[in-house]
Amino acid sequence: MSVAFRRLCLLSPALLVILLLVGVPLCLMAWVSLLDKGGSAGVDWSSAPSAANYVRLVWEEDFDGTMILNTGYLLIFLRSVALAAVTTVLSLALGLPVALWMASLSRTGRDVMLLLITIPFWTNLLVRNYAWLIILREDGWVSQFVNMLSPWPVQLLYNDAAVAIGLTYSFLPFTILPLYTVFEKFDWRLLEAAHDLGATRRRALRRVVLPIATPGIVAGALLVFIPCLGAFVTPALLGGGKTLMLGNIIQMQFGASRNWPFGATLAVVLLAIMLVVMTAMALWRNRRTA
Amino acid sequence: MSLKSCLGAAFAAVALLASPAGAQDAEKTLYFYNWTDYYPVELLAKFEKETGIKVILDGYDSNDTLLAKLQSGGASYDVIVPSDYVIPGLVKDGLLMKIDTHAMSNYAHMKDAFKNPEFDPRHEYSAPYLWGVTGLAYDSAQVPGGMLEPSWKEYFEPRPELAGKIAALDTASDEILAASLYLGIPQCTESNEDAARILALLQAQKEKLKLYSSDSTVDRMASGEVAMHHLWNGATARATAQRDTIRFLYPKEGTPMFRDNFAVPANAPHPENAKIFINWMMAPENAAAVSNAIAYANAMKSDEFLSDQWRKMDAINMPEDFASRLVATQDCNGKARELRDRIWTRLKG
Amino acid sequence: MSPRRFPFTRETALLVLAYLYVPVAVLIVYSFNANRTATVWTHASVDWYGRILVNPSIQAAAWNSLVIAVCAATAATVLALLAALATRRAFLGRGASEAVLNMPLILPEIVVAVATLILFVSLGVKLGLGAMVAAHTAFCIPFAYLPIRARLEGISGTYEEAAHDLYANRVRTFRRVTMPLLWPGVMAGFTLAFVTSLDDFLTSFFLAGPGMTTLPVYIFSAIRAGISPEINAISAVMLVVSVLLVSLSFFLGRLRR
């Protein structure tokens, strides 16, 4: 049995499962995004493919009949990307020190921390968001405390900040775990060497730790950014529903609006945004590790 | 009566009793797909004890979720609970099974006002479950003067004291329908001008809202988090049970009404069990058990079984003269739905 | 201070722990709240736990979630382990294979969920347990794959070479050398896959069939209908169960090392 054949046997089951259940559906979805919606719901499979759904994203007939630039969807895209970016940065800023500290602990200490980091993660996403709803609500003690200190009334809930807090909370372990994996295998003698050679801690951090952490940073950033982009529970619960995000409008098309092809179009656009971000990250990673 | 005829009557009675069992599906299960928390689970235990049929209950959160599941064709339930306006579409698409409710033994218990509804004139496909209205709930303790006018104006153009203390439903159809009623616009409008007026009203109102949410509404009112809520009467009643200063308004420009019904999907795996269940639910005692638990009115002559707690609340026991304010929801066509969609996206963008 | 310690990392870590645990604590405290309104505290009570025990919908949903998570995580871990072994050494197409393996991780869940729905509906596949397990398995693979792969990378080939030199055959080397070293990675992978499946809402939401409501779907509908302290109580129970499970997996991992 040749090495290559054995490798193929080992690899193909997983690849097949993913291609059939993820790859094929995506291609089908891209095709559907060019079709027309069915009578009461679903897809009109016999309709001629056209780019009408994509045109609708940017241009629309105004309520007075003229064609105008439709900023509604563009704004939603921008807001989703911005919120996802803020969450990613927050998660990395919090995750990096935690991962560094964990790696400096004893074996038992690390295991305990790993356990502690993963446990909140085991509670359901909806429930976690709901817990924040209880904490940030107006008559809650956090809100009362903040308002005691602040000279003007502050509302903690139902704004973009609350959404960012909730999203960061949900995805923080996704940055800590990959970074920790990197640091755990890190040969700390390198750092001692840098230290012995007179490098300051800041310099050592920038020149030794960060380059090594790059794969972890990239992995963590992607793991946070992507689910955030498609998030729809958190904006709905903590954002007070005043602003929609990409995830919400996709779900809306498959639900209330019953327009599957347009939902597919929005999903394709979401994928495109993601691809751009990933390419940028890959370029950045290559430059850093080059 | 001779012994023989006595025995004969007994036999006949046994046969009668046994006949529904004879018509039962071999498998004694029933897949019941209902709105979440819209059915008291204790009642399922009673049904199982009386008929031997085990009910498996799943929940959905909107007619759209139900439609998505039915129209995708992948899921087969035995009993579903669509709202009035959804039913003609389902019948047209051949998604419902003919169950001839009018021939069921408990049909006699139905209040006359609920017979021959326009969405299923001969009750061939559906049986009424519960009904309610979507109006305005407010906390009289948080309102200066303690009273509001029964008008959508209080909601769309609120008094300054209430600004920032109002919750809207996060459902495009509910909000746009209420705005249409206030502005006197037909509910399934396809006109761009109408859409622009609705959008302007909603945009101005958005500034004064605390949030849009259709979730946890009872808690929000009961805890006093908001002073006013675009809300269903049953939810208002349940909140009132916890906070007695809450009042309910039937806006005079028109109060949307929903009538939820039992129906059987065309691909139901256990249609006979479904019919047994629907007939059982029309027994006044069982219908009242639901109303007492869920705080929505049913369509059966069941008033004697209703609890006093609900009977004295305006929110549940609608005063007769409000009946003229009720407006049935329509199933809008694709063009109107798309217009709604655009209003909503612009509003939230 | 050792050069391994960076300033403020400990403080940040403690803050992060507080950030992570305050909501959990709030949730548990409120699950003992007697008030029917989940967000208003009156006095302590265990009524809501009693209510879960007699609520058949919650029990059924919990059971469905567990069945799906166990099936999907097991399948995903086996597939991921095989794939990780295959991609251990560089070969032409490794990059492409890994990209495919990580695809579900990189794609927003809502996109995959609706795409899968379109596929199943257009093929006429019956929605329900089978469809859900299949879809869950697919998106759990990378969650299982990444930790295993990371662990494999950390294992130097010298142990296996040594075993080989000592005339251990391939199977024996794998069983006695590679697998024990790899075990923590496999457990971590299974754990992550299990959590992902258990926590999944969107895919289950779109693909659930009759009688297949999972806990997250139930909770979502319940929140929409008006949250009750029962939800807090279920989450507290889920939390305790998961702490036990994660601890067990950690303990196992250390035992076999």
Side-chain angles (χ1 to χ4, degrees), chain B:
Chain B
M1 214 181 343
S2 74
L3 185 74
K4 207 171 159 187
S5 63
C6 230
L7 268 175
F11 264 110
V14 168
L16 240 165
L17 277 175
S19 67
Q24 257 181 35
D25 297 294
E27 203 187 351
K28 293 204 152 199
T29 31
L30 177 81
Y31 289 110
F32 183 24
Y33 198 36
N34 192 358
W35 301 65
T36 305
D37 267 358
Y38 201 45
Y39 193 94
V41 283
E42 308 84 62
L43 207 55
L44 292 182
K46 185 181 171 208
F47 177 72
E48 187 177 348
K49 214 168 102 197
E50 289 179 15
T51 61
I53 298 170
K54 189 171 167 46
V55 180
I56 294 149
L57 175 65
D58 290 302
Y60 55 88
D61 55 38
S62 66
N63 279 310
D64 305 303
T65 308
L66 171 66
L67 281 175
K69 273 275 178 299
L70 282 185
Q71 280 160 341
S72 71
S76 31
Y77 294 94
D78 294 311
V79 176
I80 54 173
V81 188
S83 296
D84 43 19
Y85 69 93
V86 183
I87 289 176
L90 289 176
V91 172
K92 201 179 98 224
D93 290 353
L95 290 169
L96 292 188
M97 186 182 286
K98 207 164 181 183
I99 52 171
D100 289 325
T101 315
H102 54 83
M104 290 183 181
S105 61
N106 282 334
Y107 185 72
H109 299 301
M110 197 185 297
K111 286 179 181 166
D112 288 336
F114 290 87
K115 289 182 175 165
N116 314 84
E118 78 287 356
F119 54 85
D120 184 14
R122 294 179 53 215
H123 265 311
E124 289 169 307
Y125 294 94
S126 69
Y129 176 47
L130 298 174
W131 72 278
V133 300
T134 317
L136 289 174
Y138 69 97
D139 183 0
S140 58
Q142 293 188 59
V143 170
M147 269 282 280
L148 291 181
E149 285 295 307
S151 163
W152 287 115
K153 185 177 172 53
E154 299 279 10
Y155 173 61
F156 286 111
E157 292 164 77
R159 306 166 183 221
E161 310 90 79
L162 292 180
K165 291 187 191 167
I166 301 172
L169 290 173
D170 197 16
T171 328
S173 53
D174 286 327
E175 285 306 309
I176 293 170
L177 173 54
S180 310
L181 288 169
Y182 178 49
L183 295 172
I185 290 170
Q187 58 171 295
C188 286
T189 183
E190 296 175 26
S191 135
N192 286 327
E193 272 164 56
D194 289 347
R197 283 174 65 205
I198 293 172
L199 178 64
L201 182 70
L202 291 177
Q203 263 167 344
Q205 184 211 22
K206 186 180 174 186
E207 311 287 315
K208 294 168 185 134
L209 290 179
K210 180 163 188 165
L211 77 161
Y212 291 92
S213 173
S214 310
D215 312 331
S216 318
T217 52
V218 176
D219 290 357
R220 200 170 293 117
M221 277 313 287
S223 66
E225 192 185 336
V226 293
M228 192 200 292
H229 210 310
H230 186 192
L231 200 57
W232 312 285
N233 62 330
T236 309
R238 296 203 304 256
T240 312
Q242 296 173 56
R243 189 182 184 94
D244 55 14
T245 51
I246 293 172
R247 304 281 178 272
F248 188 75
L249 296 179
Y250 294 83
K252 59 174 192 266
E253 296 89 349
T255 308
M257 155 179 71
F258 54 85
R259 288 158 294 173
D260 294 328
N261 304 274
F262 293 118
V264 181
N267 63 352
H270 312 103
E272 292 307 320
N273 292 352
K275 285 182 203 166
I276 294 171
F277 178 76
I278 290 172
N279 187 42
W280 190 83
M281 278 311 304
M282 287 198 292
E285 196 191 343
N286 299 328
V290 172
S291 289
N292 286 336
I294 309 289
Y296 283 99
N298 63 64
M300 300 298 145
K301 294 172 186 150
S302 63
D303 294 356
E304 54 180 311
F305 300 104
L306 279 183
S307 78
D308 284 339
Q309 188 194 13
W310 304 133
R311 214 181 295 186
K312 62 180 188 236
M313 272 187 209
D314 263 10
I316 294 306
N317 215 351
M318 185 184 71
E320 278 300 326
D321 42 334
F322 291 170
S324 58
R325 297 182 183 173
L326 299 185
V327 174
T329 320
Q330 296 165 10
D331 190 22
C332 299
N333 65 17
K335 177 123 193 281
R337 280 209 309 269
E338 206 168 292
L339 208 58
R340 277 185 177 179
D341 215 40
R342 278 167 57 193
I343 297 175
W344 202 242
T345 317
R346 287 260 199 116
L347 177 67
K348 302 272 199 113

Side-chain angles (χ1 to χ4, degrees), chain C residues 12 15 31 59 75 123 132-133 137 146 155 158 173 214 239 244:
Chain C
T12 318
L15 264 177
S31 71
Q59 288 167 5
L123 291 180
M132 288 161 90
V133 168
T137 303
L146 285 179
I155 300 173
T158 45
T173 310
T214 63
L239 186 75
L244 289 176

Side-chain angles (χ1 to χ4, degrees), chain C residues 185-198:
Chain C
V186 174
M187 283 316 292
F190 179 82
T191 310
L192 265 183
F194 189 84
V195 176
T196 313
S197 166
L198 207 63

Side-chain angles (χ1 to χ4, degrees), chain A residues 15-32 45 268 271, chain C residues 100 103-104 107 111-112 114-120 122-123 138:
Chain A
L15 288 183
L16 268 179
V17 166
I18 291 180
L19 283 176
L20 282 178
L21 288 165
V22 181
V24 173
L26 285 184
C27 298
L28 191 67
M29 189 181 75
W31 171 247
V32 165
W45 292 100
V268 169
L271 283 185
Chain C
V100 172
M103 211 156 74
L107 296 166
V111 175
V112 182
V114 298
T116 315
L117 176 69
I118 295 176
L119 175 80
F120 284 165
S122 66
L123 291 180

